[in-house]
Amino acid sequence: MKPRLQDVADRAGVSMKTVSNVINGYVHVSEAMRTKVLAAIEEVGYRPNLSARNLARGRAGMIALVVPQLDMPYFASLSMHVLEAAEEQGWVVLIQQTRGDAEKERAVLSGRFAQRVDGLVFSPEGVTAEEIGQRSDRTPLVLLGERATGGLADHIVVDNVAAGKLAVSHLLDLGRRRVAMIGPEGVATTNRRFDGYAAALAERGLEVDPLLVEPVPRNLGEAGEAAMNALLARSVPRPDAVFCVTDWVALGAIRSLHLHGLRVPEDVAVVGFDDIPYGRASTPTLTSISPDRAAVARAAVASLAAQQGCSSEPREIPAGFELVVRESTAGVGGAAFVAPAAVDDATLPFGRAAP
């Protein structure tokens, strides 16, 4: 038979209530008693029934994570970190993807899940801020991504303006002056990474050249390649550096440069965003802004835990990032570095300054 709570109590010589208090982390239990009960739990091999515990707490024991695409390395890695953070809270995770489809995202906002969930971590692409603000479902919600608008729910945010500025400042520090950007929806854009791009140029007395800004329809390598082709076809003189809105796009841009007989970084330096694993194995390896995905996941799950049975004003919760310099800007054998200064989980600063 499976060991029962009573078996633990008998082994420890305490009441079932004391065992329950230890298992549930009740603070008013002496350290000696806690140690004694935990030893008894280990000896008899007792494993708490999470379903029963959640039922007693009035919880479903499950949260939902909804992202645009699971086949994108950023979201695959984020999902892993959310699973780990949720496990520490006794939650399992229901994962769904929307592919940015507005109708699917509206279903998410209405709470239409196959099972009841205690909270929702949601990275929206298709719905508007107004739709998020008007949702009728009261399930605790935390938002991810730069498309979310503050004031609607807790929002875990990487400062994309500061990150974009850091990336482009790095290129300018290398002496590059014709810095292109691939990814925003044009010069008159609300893309925050573009805002960082523009801010870095302005700080050095440079203006945004519309001929050096190329949008992409989707976050794909093929889109990055096509955008780089377009830049090279119309820009004379050609760009000597390019900041790409994601690593997938950057890898496509590098392919285009290679096919045009241009060297990276000698002729054109390239910086991406997301620090996906493939960028560490490409030729050349890819310099990238690396968001702290583990911190994003921990903050999101902690937000949902704090919202259980409580209500508070929505918060903007920052998560850190760093610039990881590799061969696409430093060259083979270059002095690659990771911008220093560890993120303090208590404050989760917006970024780390490059040396």
Side-chain angles (χ1 to χ4, degrees), residues 28-52:
H28 300 298
V29 176
S30 71
E31 192 57 37
M33 182 63 71
R34 189 181 308 279
T35 300
K36 184 178 182 180
V37 170
L38 290 175
I41 289 172
E42 190 64 29
E43 288 171 13
V44 303
Y46 175 75
R47 294 296 176 264
N49 186 323
L50 292 180
S51 296

Side-chain angles (χ1 to χ4, degrees), residues 40-95:
I41 289 172
E42 190 64 29
E43 288 171 13
V44 303
Y46 175 75
R47 294 296 176 264
N49 186 323
L50 292 180
S51 296
R53 186 195 299 181
N54 285 321
L55 184 62
R57 293 177 177 178
R59 292 180 15 164
M62 177 180 292
I63 61 173
L65 170 65
V66 181
V67 298
Q69 283 187 256
L70 281 168
D71 61 354
M72 290 296 167
Y74 176 85
F75 289 115
S77 175
L78 177 68
S79 298
M80 175 190 72
H81 290 297
V82 169
L83 286 166
E84 291 174 347
E87 184 179 11
E88 294 176 4
Q89 294 284 345
W91 274 319
V92 295
V93 184
L94 171 68
I95 302 177

Side-chain angles (χ1 to χ4, degrees), residues 62-267:
M62 177 180 292
I63 61 173
L65 170 65
V66 181
V67 298
Q69 283 187 256
L70 281 168
D71 61 354
M72 290 296 167
Y74 176 85
F75 289 115
S77 175
L78 177 68
S79 298
M80 175 190 72
H81 290 297
V82 169
L83 286 166
E84 291 174 347
E87 184 179 11
E88 294 176 4
Q89 294 284 345
W91 274 319
V92 295
V93 184
L94 171 68
I95 302 177
Q96 292 188 1
Q97 68 173 5
T98 65
R99 294 197 175 274
D101 180 82
E103 197 55 45
K104 290 181 180 178
E105 293 189 355
R106 292 185 190 105
V108 166
L109 290 174
S110 70
R112 296 206 294 268
F113 293 102
Q115 295 175 260
R116 186 168 71 88
V117 296
D118 294 321
L120 168 61
V121 181
F122 181 32
S123 180
E125 277 197 352
V127 294
T128 65
E130 184 179 17
E131 288 176 299
I132 296 173
Q134 291 177 347
R135 77 184 186 109
S136 58
D137 181 53
R138 295 297 94 194
T139 301
L141 170 67
V142 59
L143 298 169
L144 307 179
E146 68 173 49
R147 291 178 181 268
T149 301
L152 303 174
D154 279 6
H155 181 199
I156 316 301
V157 58
V158 170
D159 187 346
N160 281 277
V161 176
K165 184 178 179 183
L166 178 60
V168 177
S169 295
H170 167 63
L171 293 169
L172 296 169
D173 288 342
L174 295 173
R176 312 294 171 136
R177 287 299 176 266
R178 287 185 56 76
V179 181
M181 182 171 181
I182 294 177
E185 294 78 13
V187 175
T189 181
T190 57
N191 185 290
R192 293 172 184 170
R193 296 176 192 179
F194 173 83
D195 293 341
Y197 164 78
L201 294 177
E203 195 172 79
R204 308 298 177 95
L206 301 172
E207 295 183 355
V208 173
D209 181 350
L211 295 177
L212 293 178
V213 179
E214 185 67 25
V216 291
R218 293 193 64 192
N219 178 25
L220 295 172
E222 304 95 293
E225 181 179 356
M228 192 73 246
N229 289 340
L231 283 173
L232 294 173
R234 70 163 180 258
S235 300
V236 180
R238 59 167 170 74
D240 57 13
V242 59
F243 169 47
C244 297
V245 74
T246 68
D247 284 357
W248 270 135
V249 170
L251 293 173
I254 289 174
R255 171 176 164 78
S256 168
L257 292 167
H258 285 167
L259 292 175
H260 280 84
L262 296 170
R263 301 166 300 164
V264 179
E266 292 84 356
D267 298 318

Side-chain angles (χ1 to χ4, degrees), residues 291-312:
D292 192 340
R293 290 182 277 271
V296 170
R298 287 195 303 270
V301 172
S303 168
L304 293 183
Q307 292 182 57
Q308 300 302 305
C310 302
S311 61
S312 60

